[in-house]
């Protein structure tokens, strides 16, 4: 076995950098994105949870300073039968209940959950009443009105067209004595909803005879195949004083309880592809927001995460826009809610995705309807953009192959002095004008693209549930090769695209010129594809399709370069080129390091000589 200190220094530098870069990607992926349990089992539980859960009282009861029992003056307004009105537009079906005048259901018509049913965003279990409940101020306490009977001015289900709108008014006139803040002895509570046929935003106006608080309990339903992944992307948001604060909860025994005060511009929340928000028409100065969050594990190893938000008013009337719908970038930007889109590296991946990737995706998609073909064309475009950078990488590989015999000779001559071996190899680099790190630039520039592409493919609702050939959803791992058992890091399935991508890496490495005598380079041809196949096994199929296309294009580029190169490079050519070429930054740094190393080597030799003389005298 060879001594590690005797390995090829050029290989060491390039390999260390490659391993570091890939290790960073793998670490980030494994910590933040990797599924942790069987998604199919998890979401069976999610489906059951969305339809059967809510056996306990919704989080509304946990809001601070809410009186649990109705005052006697309000009891007469809570004995009626609940009546529902369904408003159907081309985009959704919304249900308003007379109890509390709540928005009790909101079913999207163009989007479906993972098992094929229309996406129901508001929890529709029997014990959950709905959202947009109001707590009114009474005797220095907030009293919930969600169980009170409102009078609705419409009685039948209504269908409106794309260019139509509809107003529904709900009123409550409790005959109670108001507190000192009220201007009337007989306050009126009125809610007005405005539905539009071509918008996900709902106009919402509220009038009360006292200060009020607007509630959104229980966030929105999970919709995706993997509850762990969707739970990771489930957050609550408060945009105040010009910046957004994102809330999360990770431990069942550590529920979230927080308050935010300031100039509130909007509050809301999001899951992976859908979101909601309460947007005041005018930012609320001195606003006050309560945030409650909890997470609970389910039997299969997944978890369900829920948030509740409440917004205190500073007066007796308020105008709002209620957004409830898909997180399509153009849609949420219309409402100023672009921050609802989830990005793990906000400062890096959002600009690349928002201003380059998605516009280019949508442009290609305007000509080609299939998103799989869009990703393939996008990959070829990126390869074309990086072509000028990949040429130096390939030339660097050819130069290193020419230099390999000389470096092997140095290795045979210098056996016991690794530092001297490194110095001699550095001389060869300078003499022949070779930068051993010259092939790393395309790899480094690919990292932001890699991260942004992962975020785009896994968070852009435009790509959600899009199929390509045998791949049903390009935003998920394909898992088309069953293993029959759970394997560490892989799970119970192999991704077909990840395996083919790994094979394409082997092909590409075999076509790349490498020193035939270097066993480390040969090992890389097999280790790296296996390593990256494992890493990409749980990545979205669209991301694997991108890299498969990119690798095939790189292999074809290498074939063309090997076959149609006009001239064959020699060591003499390299030496002549190095003499005429202006010395670059890396070459200067290598020369400086060489001088320092030679000085250290000289000092070491002098020291050893003096030590030998002293020992001889003794």
């Amino acid at each position: 076995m060879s001594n590690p200190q005797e390995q090829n220094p050029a290989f060491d530098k390039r390999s260390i950098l490659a391993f570091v870069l890939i290790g960073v990607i793998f670490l980030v992926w494994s910590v933040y994105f990797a599924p942790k349990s069987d998604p199919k089992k998890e979401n069976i539980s999610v489906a059951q949870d969305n339809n059967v859960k809510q056996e306990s009282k919704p989080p509304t009861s946990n809001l601070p300073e809410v009186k649990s029992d109705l005052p006697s003056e309000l009891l007469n307004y809570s004995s009626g039968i609940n009546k529902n009105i369904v408003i159907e537009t081309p985009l959704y079906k919304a249900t308003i209940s007379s109890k509390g005048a709540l928005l009790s259901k909101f079913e999207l018509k163009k989007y479906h959950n993972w098992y094929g049913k229309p996406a129901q965003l508001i929890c529709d279990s029997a014990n959950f009443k709905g959202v947009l409940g109001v707590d009114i101020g009474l005797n220095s306490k907030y009293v919930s009105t969600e169980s009170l009977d409102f009078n609705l001015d419409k009685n039948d289900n209504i269908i409106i067209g794309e260019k139509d709108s509809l107003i529904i008014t709900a009123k409550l006139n409790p005959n109670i004595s108001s507190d000192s803040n009220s201007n009337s002895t007989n306050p009126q509570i009125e809610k007005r909803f405005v539905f539009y046929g071509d918008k996900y935003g709902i106009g919402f106006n509220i009038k009360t005879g006292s200060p009020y608080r607007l509630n959104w309990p229980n966030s929105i339903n999970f919709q995706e195949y993997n509850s762990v992944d969707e739970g990771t992307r489930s957050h609550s948001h408060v945009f105040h004083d010009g910046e957004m604060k994102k809330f999360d909860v990770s431990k069942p025994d550590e529920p979230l309880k927080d308050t935010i005060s300031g100039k509130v511009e909007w509050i809301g929340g999001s899951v992976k592809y859908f979101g909601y928000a309460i947007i005041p028409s005018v930012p609320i100065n001195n606003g006050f927001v309560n945030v409650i969050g909890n997470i609970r594990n389910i039997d299969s190893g997944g978890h369900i995460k829920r948030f509740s938000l409440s917004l205190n008013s500073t007066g007796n009337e308020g105008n709002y826009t209620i957004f409830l719908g898909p997180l399509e970038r153009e849609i949420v930007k219309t409402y100023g809610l672009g921050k609802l889109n989830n990005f793990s590296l906000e400062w890096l991946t959002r600009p690349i995705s928002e201003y380059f990737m998605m516009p280019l995706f949508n442009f290609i998609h305007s000509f080609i309807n299939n998103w799989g073909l869009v990703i393939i064309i996008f990959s070829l475009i990126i390869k074309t953009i990086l072509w000028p950078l990949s040429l130096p990488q390939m030339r660097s590989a050819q130069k290193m192959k020419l230099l390999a015999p000389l470096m092997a000779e140095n290795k045979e001559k210098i056996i016991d002095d690794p530092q001297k071996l490194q110095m001699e190899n550095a001389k060869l680099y300078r003499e022949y004008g070779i930068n051993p790190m010259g092939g790393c630039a395309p790899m480094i520039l690919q990292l932001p693209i890699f991260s942004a592409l992962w975020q785009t493919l896994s968070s852009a609702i435009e790509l959600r549930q899009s199929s390509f050939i045998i791949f049903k959803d390009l935003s998920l791992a394909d898992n088309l090769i069953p293993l029959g058992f759970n394997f560490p890091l892989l799970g119970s399935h192999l991704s077909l695209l990840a395996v083919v991508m790994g094979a394409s890496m082997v092909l590409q490495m075999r076509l790349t010129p490498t020193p035939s005598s270097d066993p480390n380079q040969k090992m890389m041809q097999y280790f790296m594809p296996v390593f990256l196949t494992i890493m990409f096994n749980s990545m979205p199929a669209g991301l694997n399709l991108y890299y498969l296309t990119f690798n095939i294009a790189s292999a074809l580029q290498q074939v063309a370069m090997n076959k149609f190169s006009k001239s064959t490079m020699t060591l003499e050519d390299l030496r002549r080129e190095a003499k005429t070429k202006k010395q670059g930054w890396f070459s200067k740094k290598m020369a400086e390091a060489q001088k320092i190393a030679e000085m250290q080597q000289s000092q070491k030799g002098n020291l050893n000589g003096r030590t030998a003389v002293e020992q001889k005298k003794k």
Side-chain angles (χ1 to χ4, degrees), residues 27-229:
L27 178 62
V28 172
W29 168 77
S30 61
V31 171
Y32 292 102
F33 310 126
K36 298 176 177 61
S37 53
D38 187 347
K40 187 173 183 179
K41 290 182 179 179
E42 290 166 12
N43 286 282
I44 292 173
S45 299
V46 172
Q48 295 171 348
D49 185 80
N50 285 339
N51 291 287
V52 183
K53 55 181 179 297
Q54 300 308 113
E55 296 177 357
S56 60
K57 196 170 183 179
T60 312
S61 61
N62 295 325
L63 295 173
E65 298 184 354
V66 174
K67 298 179 71 172
S68 57
D69 297 325
L70 287 174
S72 58
E73 299 92 336
L74 293 178
L75 290 176
N76 291 333
Y77 298 92
S78 62
S79 57
I81 299 174
N82 184 42
K83 298 178 182 178
N84 292 321
I85 295 178
V86 177
I87 301 91
E88 183 175 351
T89 78
L91 300 176
Y92 58 81
K93 290 182 181 179
T95 302
I96 301 292
S97 62
S98 61
K99 285 285 185 182
L102 303 175
L103 183 62
S104 59
K105 291 184 181 180
F106 199 86
E107 182 182 286
L108 301 182
K109 299 176 71 173
K110 295 185 177 182
Y111 298 92
H112 297 80
N113 57 27
W114 69 274
Y115 48 89
K117 296 292 183 66
Q120 176 60 255
L121 299 188
I122 297 176
C123 179
D124 56 349
S125 68
N127 293 324
F128 186 75
K129 297 178 181 179
V131 299
L132 297 178
V134 172
D135 302 332
I136 60 173
L138 181 65
N139 299 325
S140 300
K141 295 286 185 179
Y142 280 110
V143 177
S144 173
T145 64
E146 67 175 17
S147 62
L148 301 183
D149 301 320
F150 282 71
N151 296 317
L152 304 178
D153 65 347
K154 303 288 190 301
N155 297 317
D156 299 322
N157 298 339
I158 302 170
I159 300 175
I160 63 175
E162 181 179 358
K163 297 183 179 180
D164 298 330
S165 61
L166 172 70
I167 299 176
I168 293 182
T169 303
K171 294 183 178 181
L172 180 75
N173 298 88
N175 185 19
I176 61 174
S177 297
S178 61
D179 59 20
S180 59
N181 293 326
S182 175
N183 297 321
S184 172
T185 58
N186 187 22
Q188 180 187 74
I189 301 176
E190 177 183 292
K191 293 182 178 181
R192 187 179 67 167
F193 299 85
V194 184
F195 298 93
Y196 301 95
D198 60 345
K199 299 177 183 178
Y200 288 100
I202 302 170
F204 182 70
N205 172 267
I206 183 168
K207 296 178 182 179
T208 67
S210 63
Y212 68 89
R213 179 162 61 193
L214 189 60
N215 300 318
W216 192 295
N218 232 28
S219 54
I220 55 179
N221 280 340
F222 282 19
Q223 304 292 330
E224 305 309 317
Y225 186 69
N226 188 332
S227 71
V228 174
D229 179 47

Side-chain angles (χ1 to χ4, degrees), residues 2 11 47 91 133 147 328 359 366 370 425 451 522 539 574 581:
S2 62
F11 168 76
L91 300 176
S147 62
E328 289 191 28
S366 64
N370 186 277
N425 287 335
S451 178
K522 292 182 178 179
M539 293 290 187
L574 294 182
K581 188 171 64 173

Side-chain angles (χ1 to χ4, degrees), residues 445-519:
L445 291 176
Q446 278 264 74
L447 288 178
I449 296 174
F450 171 90
S451 178
L453 186 63
W454 190 94
Q455 293 286 347
T456 301
L457 292 174
S458 59
S459 65
I461 195 169
E462 294 88 345
L463 302 177
R464 177 179 182 262
Q465 297 180 350
S466 57
S467 61
F468 177 63
I469 311 178
I470 60 174
F471 309 106
K472 295 182 179 180
D473 191 340
L474 291 173
S475 68
L476 300 175
D478 58 78
N479 292 336
L480 290 176
I481 305 176
L483 295 177
F485 57 91
N486 281 320
F487 194 83
L489 299 178
L490 290 176
S492 59
H493 295 80
L494 270 177
S495 165
L496 176 61
L497 275 173
V499 172
V500 178
M501 187 205 64
S504 71
M505 287 189 65
V506 174
L507 173 63
Q508 183 186 355
M509 286 185 173
R510 284 186 171 277
L511 291 172
T512 302
T514 56
S516 58
S517 60
D518 191 347

